[in-house]
Amino acid sequence: QVQLVESGGGLVQPGGSLRLSCAASGRTFITSGMGWFRQAPGKEREFVATSSWSGGNNYYADSVKGRFTISRDNVGNTVYLQMNSLKPEDTAVYYCAAQALRRTTAQSMGEIGYDYWGQGTQVTVSS
């Protein structure tokens, strides 16, 4: 059974940093992509970042570009999201997601491109 477990969320002041982690178990994802999405209160879930199967191609939502960095460990089953210069509008539940099969870049930037999801971790940016 595949499981994705996020950790690292919490309360941080504007301008601060957090590092989210997502550990996958049940199968290897070294040959497929993993990504992060988020859902703010009253809004739909939105794409944040994705890392390709090789880890060499990363893509970001415009709203986080230059502030967030996605990375994966050498085994490929853990994905991280380093979040810097956090803003109140980054407040959301952050979800980790993984692909059963390799997808295109376009597919990897939408929920439809992912087959497995974590339960989410809350990130609150507030003074």
Side-chain angles (χ1 to χ4, degrees):
Q1 182 179 359
V2 174
Q3 278 194 315
L4 302 179
V5 180
E6 303 99 334
S7 62
L11 173 64
V12 64
Q13 291 187 343
S17 298
L18 280 177
R19 189 192 195 208
L20 305 183
S21 299
C22 172
S25 60
R27 58 156 284 177
T28 179
F29 291 99
I30 197 169
T31 59
S32 55
M34 298 183 76
W36 289 94
F37 289 72
R38 68 186 181 185
Q39 187 168 20
K43 295 187 177 181
E44 293 186 351
R45 189 155 57 183
E46 64 176 4
F47 167 76
V48 174
T50 184
S51 178
S52 69
W53 63 275
S54 66
N57 294 306
N58 300 330
Y59 300 93
Y60 300 90
D62 288 343
S63 59
V64 307
K65 206 172 292 184
R67 300 186 298 122
F68 291 9
T69 303
I70 189 171
S71 61
R72 297 175 69 167
D73 68 356
N74 291 337
V75 179
N77 266 33
T78 301
V79 64
Y80 306 94
L81 186 67
Q82 177 66 42
M83 305 185 295
N84 299 328
S85 302
L86 282 161
K87 305 174 181 180
E89 50 264 43
D90 294 317
T91 295
V93 177
Y94 283 71
Y95 297 91
C96 170
Q99 300 171 342
L101 300 172
R102 199 177 303 175
R103 311 282 188 190
T104 66
T105 299
Q107 290 172 325
S108 298
M109 297 175 76
E111 292 186 58
I112 196 171
Y114 295 85
D115 305 280
Y116 306 103
W117 293 85
Q119 292 300 306
T121 185
Q122 176 70 46
V123 172
T124 302
V125 185
S126 176
S127 55

